[in-house]
Amino acid sequence: QLMVVDSGGGLVQPGRSLRLSCAASGGSLDWYGIGWFRQAPGKEREEVSCISHDSYSISYTDSVKGRFTISRDNTVNKVYLQMNNLKPEDTGVYYCAAYWDSFPDFCAEVKGRYNYWGQGTQVTVSS
């Protein structure tokens, strides 16, 4: 049974950076597309970024374009979300999620199908 574990959150000042990691146990992420989601207090969960198993399909929500970068290293079974120039509105619990990548364009077609979720890691951006 695949399990995904997200980590790397913390408390940072506005303008600083954090790198989140999504790791797997019980299996390999090689053929899974990965999404990063966040949920702020009182708000619905939103997808922040997505990457296909082969990194050919990548997407970002508009509010993080130019600041966040998603990447993966299948040799170490991890996916990363590099978050630069963090803003207070980036605060929330961040989750990574996985789904078997069988789509021509994973990030465009996976919507709502993720079935393996991490436990979440808190990101707080505050001065």
Side-chain angles (χ1 to χ4, degrees), residues 5 18 26 30 39-40 42 47 52 59 61 68 73 75-76 86 92 99 104:
V5 179
L18 280 175
D30 284 6
Q39 187 163 21
E47 182 176 304
S52 61
S59 69
T61 193
F68 289 12
D73 185 345
T75 65
V76 295
L86 283 160
Y99 189 78

Side-chain angles (χ1 to χ4, degrees), residues 4-7 9 20-22 33-41 43-51 59-61 63-64 68 70 79-83 86 89-99 106-123:
V4 293
V5 179
D6 33 47
S7 62
L20 305 184
S21 296
C22 179
I34 302 295
W36 280 100
F37 294 77
R38 68 185 177 193
Q39 187 163 21
K43 294 187 177 181
E44 293 189 355
R45 186 176 62 196
E46 66 169 336
E47 182 176 304
V48 175
S49 185
C50 168
I51 188 168
S59 69
Y60 301 95
T61 193
S63 62
V64 308
F68 289 12
I70 193 169
V79 175
Y80 304 102
L81 185 67
Q82 177 67 42
M83 306 187 296
L86 283 160
E89 52 264 42
D90 295 318
T91 294
V93 180
Y94 284 69
Y95 302 87
C96 68
Y99 189 78
F106 179 83
C107 292
E109 300 178 62
V110 70
K111 306 303 181 183
R113 290 186 170 90
Y114 293 100
N115 54 351
Y116 298 100
W117 289 82
Q119 78 288 355
T121 184
Q122 176 70 45
V123 172

